[in-house]
Amino acid sequence: IRDEQSGYNKNLFCIPKHYEEDLERVFIPHGLILDRTERLARDIIQDMGNHHIVALCVLKGGYKFFADLLDHIKALNQNGDKSVPITVDFVRIKSYC
């Protein structure tokens, strides 16, 4: 996203009522995030080759992104020419300690 990009008008999206007054514009639409997440999964599968993938999720804020990314990786893994083993683990970090 370029610095000069002004984003999208919030009226183009379904914004929950309790957020309407707090938002001015939408800079990154959900569909764009999903598309980029799928592309990242493809890059990971391509870059890892036949190597074992160890996926580590930083809780709690990264869980949704992590789950979406893993779903794309698993789909590519099942539908591709090769199957790469994947290990999943989680780590919790406290930012105020």
Side-chain angles (χ1 to χ4, degrees):
I1 298 174
R2 298 180 187 276
D3 288 340
E4 64 273 1
Q5 185 173 343
S6 61
Y8 301 89
N9 187 314
K10 71 178 183 179
N11 295 328
L12 297 172
F13 302 92
C14 295
I15 307 292
K17 288 269 187 215
H18 57 280
Y19 288 128
E20 281 182 349
E21 297 301 317
D22 297 324
L23 291 176
E24 227 177 89
R25 302 189 74 65
V26 174
F27 286 100
I28 307 173
H30 185 251
L32 185 60
I33 293 171
L34 290 178
D35 185 64
R36 183 61 185 108
T37 304
E38 182 177 358
R39 181 63 216 190
L40 182 59
R42 290 174 186 258
D43 291 346
I44 290 169
I45 290 289
Q46 183 178 1
D47 290 348
M48 292 303 294
N50 290 327
H51 296 288
H52 183 120
I53 295 174
V54 177
L56 182 64
C57 177
V58 177
L59 294 173
K60 297 185 178 183
Y63 178 74
K64 177 65 173 134
F65 167 75
F66 183 77
D68 290 344
L69 180 63
L70 272 185
D71 286 345
H72 289 299
I73 289 173
K74 288 177 184 177
L76 291 168
N77 212 11
Q78 291 173 350
N79 299 325
D81 297 336
K82 58 187 176 200
S83 182
V84 178
I86 302 172
T87 301
V88 176
D89 210 343
F90 299 87
V91 62
R92 175 182 271 162
I93 297 174
K94 293 184 179 183
S95 60
Y96 298 106
C97 292

